[in-house]
Amino acid sequence: MNFKNVTVAGSGVLGSQIAFQTAFQGFKVTVYDLNDEVLAKAKAKFSELSECYKSDVNATQEQLDNTFNNLSYCSNLAEAVKDADLLIEAVPENVDIKNEFYKQLSQVAPAKTVFATNSSTLLPSQFAEVTGRPEKFLALHFANRIWDKNVAEIMGHSGTDQAVFDEVIEFSKAIGMLAFPLYKEQSGHLLNTMTWPMVLSAAELWAKDVSDPIHMDKMWMKVMGAEFGPFAIMDIVGLNTTYNIAKAYADFNPSMNLVLEKLDAEMLNQDRLGIQNGEGFYQYPNPVWEAADFLK
Ligand code: NAD
């Protein structure tokens, strides 16, 4: 493994998890974000994450102390990347923001640094030119709750160097992930491409009043042996994000307009946003789908 120093750009939902997991596995991680105020929020997120690591992966205090020692913080991009072997970009899912970020990054990063984007829907080929180093650029995509859902999807564009691709696969394994290489570019990678048609089909049945969330989640969990069903997934992802994904599908599936109308009227306008604010299709904490007798 040639990578030692990793910089994570963007310390939001996923960036904070990627930084913490990477530091937990022994790498030196610099967390970069817009200003010191946002970085202070990242530190608070790391404290919350350390509680999850204690309860979910039995992390010891020594491991957590080492994790915090491996983390440093910086709001100056040139300074944040000066020693980076790998930079993982987790800035907002917005083409203009990512373009501007890579433009600035290309001017200050050392030649050795590999750039990886955690974008869920945008393709590496969209940014390859602006990175200034297309052969050292690819996607490295993680799932939310990285310490528990430890999967990494590695996806190059046509100009990505195979040796760089292989090195990033090795890196993802070194930070405790199961690695899933993609053989060609695919918006949504593997996981989201497989998941969303199922989730939105359930949403369509709900929007057409054919069935209700509890029955559909129960059926999915029972038959597929899954931990949760499509409506719980929407609550976990958040109903604003779900709305945006359904909107993208509406371009080629007009039934999605019914889903958009009902999501808007019954969820978003009622301030039911999912787990993040305690109410979505279910009430949180302790939603009924988590109860021991849900499948009885
Ligand atoms: P978020 O909004 O929670 O966090 C984005 C962070 O980027 C914020 O801390 C913000 O201050 C920072 N930021 C904004 N502009 C910046 C810039 N120019 N330079 C550095 N930092 C900047 O977003 P998120 O949900 O963590 O998503 C980030 C990326 O990860 C997106 O590309 C998204 O598609 C992807 N992703 C998200 C999830 C998820 O479940 N949230 C899952 C997988 C992948």
Side-chain angles (χ1 to χ4, degrees):
M1 170 52 35
N2 291 326
F3 297 157
K4 290 194 171 50
N5 301 319
V6 178
T7 299
V8 177
S11 60
V13 176
L14 251 284
S16 60
Q17 295 182 19
I18 297 165
F20 198 80
Q21 176 69 21
T22 305
F24 184 75
Q25 295 291 347
F27 290 81
K28 293 282 175 209
V29 178
T30 303
V31 183
Y32 165 74
D33 210 308
L34 293 174
N35 54 53
D36 293 342
E37 209 181 336
V38 189
L39 288 172
K41 287 191 190 141
K43 285 181 202 169
K45 287 197 193 98
F46 293 145
S47 297
E48 285 168 25
L49 282 172
S50 67
E51 294 305 314
C52 297
Y53 276 62
K54 271 188 214 163
S55 60
D56 297 349
V57 294
N58 298 320
T60 63
Q61 195 52 49
E62 191 189 351
Q63 283 177 307
L64 293 170
D65 290 345
N66 289 337
T67 305
F68 280 101
N69 285 336
N70 284 336
L71 287 163
S72 57
Y73 307 85
C74 187
S75 57
N76 175 306
L77 186 55
E79 186 64 24
V81 293
K82 71 178 193 321
D83 296 322
D85 300 304
L86 172 67
L87 174 132
I88 304 173
E89 171 269 306
V91 309
E93 190 72 344
N94 173 299
V95 175
D96 294 339
I97 293 177
K98 289 200 196 279
N99 259 323
E100 185 54 35
F101 172 76
Y102 283 117
K103 199 168 134 199
Q104 288 175 20
L105 179 67
S106 68
Q107 287 158 12
V108 294
K112 68 170 183 176
T113 313
V114 169
F115 300 166
T117 178
N118 182 50
S119 170
S120 291
T121 59
L122 305 167
L123 296 171
S125 54
Q126 286 175 259
F127 305 103
E129 252 353 281
V130 72
T131 65
R133 60 190 70 191
E135 71 292 348
K136 286 196 180 122
F137 177 57
L138 75 178
L140 171 59
H141 182 251
F142 298 98
N144 200 354
R145 297 179 61 86
I146 188 172
W147 63 95
D148 180 32
K149 309 287 178 216
N150 53 327
V151 294
E153 304 186 77
I154 300 96
M155 178 175 80
H157 61 95
S158 59
T160 306
D161 183 335
Q162 186 62 41
V164 169
F165 189 86
D166 294 343
E167 186 78 40
V168 171
I169 290 181
E170 287 317 306
F171 166 76
S172 70
K173 291 178 184 167
I175 60 164
M177 299 296 114
L178 293 173
F180 296 87
L182 273 73
Y183 307 134
K184 53 165 76 167
E185 278 196 321
Q186 166 68 39
S187 172
H189 311 87
L190 304 179
L191 184 60
N192 286 331
T193 304
M194 293 191 287
T195 307
W196 282 99
M198 180 283 283
V199 170
L200 293 177
S201 300
E204 188 180 332
L205 293 170
W206 167 73
K208 289 178 172 168
D209 296 322
V210 175
S211 184
D212 59 81
I214 289 189
H215 279 106
M216 285 188 269
D217 275 359
K218 220 179 246 193
M219 173 175 274
W220 190 264
M221 288 164 70
K222 183 76 196 171
V223 176
M224 305 307 283
E227 217 176 311
F228 33 67
F231 293 89
I233 291 176
M234 288 186 262
D235 277 354
I236 292 166
V237 170
L239 296 174
N240 273 319
T241 302
T242 298
Y243 184 92
N244 289 334
I245 295 170
K247 207 165 167 195
Y249 275 73
D251 288 345
F252 52 88
N253 177 358
S255 299
M256 281 303 117
N257 289 314
L258 282 178
V259 172
L260 291 171
E261 272 170 38
K262 194 159 170 175
L263 274 177
D264 206 28
E266 295 191 14
M267 311 305 285
L268 305 184
N269 279 336
Q270 312 292 325
D271 207 27
R272 294 164 71 181
L273 305 180
I275 284 187
Q276 57 183 287
N277 75 337
E279 194 172 358
F281 289 105
Y282 298 94
Q283 306 262 354
Y284 300 87
N286 308 319
V288 288
W289 55 265
E290 263 180 6
D293 61 355
F294 188 61
L295 296 185
K296 292 271 160 33

